[in-house]
Amino acid sequence: MEWADEVLPIVDFLQSAGVADLMVWLRERAEGADNVGGNREDPPHFLVAAMHDALDHAVCVNLEKALYLLITEIADNPDGWTDGAVTQLLMLTDPILLNTRRREDLAAMLSRLARTDVQSTARPAIRFAAAQAMVTLDVKAAPDFWIPLYTTPKRRGQDEPNYAPIVIEGLLRTDLTALVSWLNGVLPNYEVERALISLTPYIAQRHGTG
């Protein structure tokens, strides 16, 4: 299927859809069941993200409202969603929610999903996707939020994704002293070292090379 063959029906739909229709469509697309446009081999979030900057402002506003409301539903009942659908939707925080005025509420919902305490009801993949979305949105959180994302699953012997890049980025945004202290406690460590290497360009851009 040609790119235009999929984009044009979606653009037509987006121009006329209300927020409720967009919520249904975004969820269906995230679940891999998009009946508006054809299904390409790209991840479900990719096409929406790729065309976002070319959409009318009113459409972008409606997409923001729809995604925000879907994240509210996820935060209230993560068990009602598949891991894949949540991951795809939260990947749409960039670009749809980067400039949202609802940042504080979003940060609260995402941190509730990502937290690792005993009250957390979200599954590992959803916690990880929420933590990634927090980094994407440049959410500032205290070290005692970021560090347990890495240490708690290790202590419990749980098989979870590698949170090292997320913890490093989160601490880079909030507390360099806490980052250095944490690194001193976990290094040498292969996955942490790989995360540091992969984040070197970002660290240099944000904090310089001096």
Side-chain angles (χ1 to χ4, degrees), residues 114-204:
R115 68 187 187 186
T116 57
D117 59 53
V118 293
Q119 295 180 349
S120 174
T121 60
R123 296 183 301 276
I126 293 178
R127 289 204 304 271
F128 188 75
Q132 285 185 312
M134 291 179 67
V135 169
T136 298
L137 292 172
D138 199 19
V139 172
K140 306 296 191 297
D144 61 4
F145 172 81
W146 295 114
I147 293 174
L149 297 179
Y150 182 85
T151 58
T152 300
K154 302 289 184 185
R155 188 175 67 251
R156 295 174 181 168
Q158 296 170 326
D159 184 18
E160 299 213 15
N162 178 20
Y163 277 93
I166 291 174
V167 173
I168 293 170
E169 283 199 59
L171 292 175
L172 278 168
R173 288 168 162 80
T174 55
D175 194 328
L176 284 175
T177 301
L179 173 60
V180 171
S181 176
W182 177 70
L183 290 174
N184 285 336
V186 297
L187 293 173
N189 178 292
Y190 177 70
E191 61 185 11
V192 175
E193 291 165 1
R194 287 196 62 185
L196 280 171
I197 291 170
S198 67
L199 288 169
T200 296
Y202 168 79
I203 295 171

Side-chain angles (χ1 to χ4, degrees), residues 35-58:
N35 293 317
V36 176
N39 289 304
R40 294 166 51 86
E41 295 180 358
D42 304 312
H45 79 280
F46 176 79
L47 181 61
V48 183
M51 63 192 300
H52 181 265
D53 289 347
L55 296 173
D56 292 343
H57 176 70

